[in-house]
């Protein structure tokens, strides 16, 4: 009977599909605030702090849990700037400086975006009095992304884990041990195929039973995030809880390559750890072959930071890294977008030469030498990108110098 008590309607963030609605009674909302307050306090939040909440207080309940934690339980002042759609990134930084933001509640990707915006603005993030950054990094097992963010912000970045239904399942303390909120949730790690419970240390699906939700109850709820549990152990922070590993990807994104379970998110560690990449990549899954001989394949497209980076050397290094992380051989690693840019940089001087020479007194011998140079470059490293580049070159030559047809005759 919904008329017996106030009910708040919230949804998931929609990161894995259509947002999932969930109903909250007052107790559930308050407990989620307490869960988050524990994380903040363990990471250094104290009364009087200004906590900037760069998550919109909307249908997604993450921002609300941070607000409740700061305002109701920590004696902190929540600065509810919301996401970049609500408050532009430049203004986010200006407000942080104006109000003296001590702590942040923000997702990892947006934290990185703010660092980029700060660099563009010549805004020194180290001038902010930041003591702690409460975030959700997702798959970052080697802490490559965390290290870069901490360097950019000059403050510790804490990686937490939760879901909108269960709340903050686990939080990091000052020593960056990920503690489970054990009096609010019971966790199991289960096999992705048959659902059996796995022992400590083995990676499987996180299955959670909420100890405080009643509208609706959540019993053995499969969150489909791949993680591992560790047994109770005393921590330097004073807590003695079970601990949760970093996130290893999601089970619903799994594909099977040559009998091996592959999680595309696991590629992130190798790509972001290599300074020669921009950190961005795309996994393209497709079928090869027909009928019963058909098998699933995956191509990884990686963006280089600069066309000066040797694409072949980068590809070989990433193949080895992917084999270690994925347990499968990566035969095809495409860099087509970057290769096209590199090709254009190489043929651009030739286009200028055509523009300068052909309309004047070019000879047939000069045109033949130019054609020989292009052929030699194609022979060095033939690819589809170079063939497209050649077509572009010839098109520009025809537009720039109609006489080229007569010279080639």
């Amino acid at each position: 009977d919904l008329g017996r008590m106030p009910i708040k309607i919230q949804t998931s963030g929609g990161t894995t599909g259509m947002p999932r609605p969930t109903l909250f009674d007052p107790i559930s909302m308050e407990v989620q605030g307490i869960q988050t307050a524990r994380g903040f306090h363990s990471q250094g939040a104290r009364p009087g702090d200004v906590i900037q909440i760069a998550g919109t207080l909307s249908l997604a309940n993450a921002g609300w849990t941070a607000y409740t934690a700061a305002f109701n339980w920590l004696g902190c002042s929540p600065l509810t700037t919301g996401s970049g759609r609500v408050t532009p990134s430049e203004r986010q930084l200006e407000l942080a400086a104006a109000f003296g933001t001590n702590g942040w509640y923000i997702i990892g990707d947006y934290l990185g975006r703010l660092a980029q915006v700060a660099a563009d603005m010549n805004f020194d993030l180290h001038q902010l009095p930041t003591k702690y950054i409460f975030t959700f990094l997702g798959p970052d097992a080697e802490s490559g992304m965390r290290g870069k963010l901490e360097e950019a912000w000059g403050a510790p970045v804490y990686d937490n884990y939760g879901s909108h239904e269960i709340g903050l399942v686990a939080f990091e303390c000052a020593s960056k041990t990920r503690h489970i909120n054990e009096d609010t949730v019971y966790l199991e790690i289960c096999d992705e195929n048959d659902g059996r419970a796995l022992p400590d240390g083995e990676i499987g699906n996180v299955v959670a039973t909420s100890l405080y939700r009643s509208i609706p109850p959540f019993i053995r709820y499969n969150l489909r995030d791949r993680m591992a549990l560790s047994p109770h152990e005393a921590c330097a922070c004073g807590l003695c809880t079970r601990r949760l590993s970093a996130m290893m990807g999601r089970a619903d994104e799994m594909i099977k390559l040559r009998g091996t379970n592959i999680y595309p998110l696991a590629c992130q560690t190798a790509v972001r750890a290599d300074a020669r990449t921009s950190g961005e990549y795309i996994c393209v899954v497709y079928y090869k072959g027909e009928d019963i001989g058909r098998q699933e394949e995956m191509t990884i497209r990686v963006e280089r930071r600069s066309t000066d980076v040797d694409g072949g050397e980068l590809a070989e290094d990433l193949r080895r890294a992917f084999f270690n992380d994925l347990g499968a051989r990566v035969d095809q690693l495409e860099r087509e977008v970057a290769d096209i840019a590199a090709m254009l940089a190489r043929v651009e001087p030739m286009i200028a030469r055509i523009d300068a020479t052909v309309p004047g007194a070019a000879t047939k011998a000069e045109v033949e030498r130019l054609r020989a140079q292009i052929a030699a470059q194609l022979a060095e490293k033939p690819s589809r990108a170079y063939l497209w580049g050649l077509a572009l070159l010839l098109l520009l030559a025809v537009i720039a110098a109609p006489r080229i047809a007569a010279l080639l005759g």
Side-chain angles (χ1 to χ4, degrees):
D1 184 0
L2 298 181
R4 293 172 52 194
M5 67 175 67
I7 295 295
K8 197 172 192 301
I9 301 173
Q10 301 286 164
T11 72
S12 68
T15 56
T16 58
M18 184 68 179
R20 302 183 306 276
T22 302
L23 304 179
F24 286 84
D25 59 36
I27 293 176
S28 296
M29 288 298 296
E30 208 63 47
V31 172
Q32 289 202 354
I34 294 172
Q35 289 175 316
T36 304
R38 288 173 175 172
F40 271 129
H41 189 272
S42 293
Q43 295 160 18
R46 294 296 181 268
D49 284 356
V50 176
I51 298 178
Q52 190 156 335
I53 303 173
T56 306
L57 276 66
S58 61
L59 282 174
N61 65 320
W64 290 102
T65 64
Y67 172 83
T68 303
F71 196 67
N72 291 10
W73 295 97
L74 291 172
C76 297
S77 298
L79 184 61
T80 53
T81 52
S83 68
R85 292 185 178 182
V86 177
T87 304
S89 298
E90 295 82 358
R91 183 54 56 86
Q92 296 263 7
L93 298 172
E94 293 167 355
L95 290 172
F99 287 99
T101 295
N102 305 106
W104 290 78
Y105 182 92
I106 183 172
I107 63 171
D109 287 346
Y110 190 42
L111 188 63
R113 171 61 182 159
L114 285 183
Q116 292 177 339
V117 171
D120 293 341
M121 295 172 57
N122 292 320
F123 182 96
D124 183 9
L125 290 173
H126 292 204
Q127 71 175 331
L128 297 176
T130 309
K131 297 193 300 182
Y132 48 87
I133 299 173
F134 185 114
T135 190
F136 304 88
L137 294 176
D140 189 39
E142 303 298 324
S143 294
M145 178 57 64
R146 187 208 299 261
K148 293 177 181 178
L149 291 172
E150 289 184 332
E151 181 179 356
W153 284 83
V157 172
Y158 297 101
D159 183 20
N160 307 280
Y161 174 74
S163 76
H164 88 279
E165 302 97 340
I166 308 296
L168 189 67
V169 173
F171 59 88
E172 285 191 334
C173 65
S175 63
K176 295 183 178 174
T177 298
R178 195 172 290 102
H179 297 281
I180 297 172
N181 265 311
E182 290 189 294
D183 57 344
T184 65
V185 60
Y186 178 76
L187 289 189
E188 301 170 85
I189 301 296
C190 296
D191 186 87
E192 298 154 22
N193 297 313
D194 60 21
R196 61 185 174 83
L198 298 175
D200 290 343
E202 291 196 21
I203 298 172
N205 284 353
V206 176
V207 176
T209 296
S210 175
L211 303 181
Y212 68 94
R213 294 299 309 271
S214 59
I215 305 176
F218 286 90
I219 301 172
R220 302 202 78 236
Y221 182 54
N222 189 351
L223 294 172
R224 303 192 68 80
D225 291 321
R226 302 181 66 248
M227 307 178 84
L229 283 172
S230 296
H232 286 86
E233 183 177 339
C235 179
C237 73
L239 291 174
C240 183
T241 67
R242 300 190 79 190
R243 292 161 292 139
L244 196 60
S245 73
M247 187 176 174
M248 307 294 183
R250 286 191 55 82
D252 50 13
E253 294 175 345
M254 184 195 80
I255 64 171
K256 189 175 287 289
L257 293 181
R258 296 181 287 279
T260 301
N261 293 340
I262 299 295
Y263 298 88
L265 277 174
C267 299
Q268 179 174 280
T269 299
V271 174
R272 291 187 172 178
D274 196 313
R276 294 170 295 178
T277 79
S278 67
E280 301 297 332
Y281 68 97
I282 298 175
C283 293
V284 181
V285 181
Y286 58 96
Y287 286 106
K288 184 177 181 180
E290 298 179 356
D291 300 327
I292 62 173
R294 187 181 74 168
Q295 61 181 8
E296 207 167 24
E297 296 287 349
M298 183 174 76
T299 293
I300 305 172
R301 296 178 177 172
V302 180
E303 183 181 44
R304 290 182 286 179
R305 186 172 294 278
S306 166
T307 55
D308 295 331
V309 173
D310 186 307
E313 182 179 334
L314 174 61
E316 286 303 317
D317 292 344
L318 286 177
R319 281 190 183 97
R320 287 191 290 269
F322 288 147
F323 182 79
N324 291 333
D325 292 346
L326 305 179
R329 187 180 70 256
V330 179
D331 295 319
Q332 191 170 4
L333 189 68
E334 292 190 1
R335 311 172 311 280
E336 289 190 16
V337 174
D339 280 345
I340 291 172
M343 174 275 300
L344 290 176
R346 295 177 67 183
V347 302
E348 196 171 349
M350 296 183 186
I351 296 172
R353 178 178 173 180
I354 291 174
D355 291 341
T357 305
V358 175
T363 66
K364 185 174 181 178
E366 287 179 318
V367 175
E368 289 296 337
R369 282 197 298 272
L370 175 58
R371 186 158 57 181
Q373 288 179 20
I374 296 173
Q377 290 203 0
L378 287 172
E380 289 175 9
K381 187 178 179 183
S383 71
R384 284 177 293 172
Y386 279 90
L387 294 177
W388 279 108
L390 178 59
L392 175 62
L393 173 62
L394 294 177
L395 176 62
L396 290 173
V398 171
I399 294 172
R403 288 182 55 196
I404 194 170
L407 290 171
L408 291 173

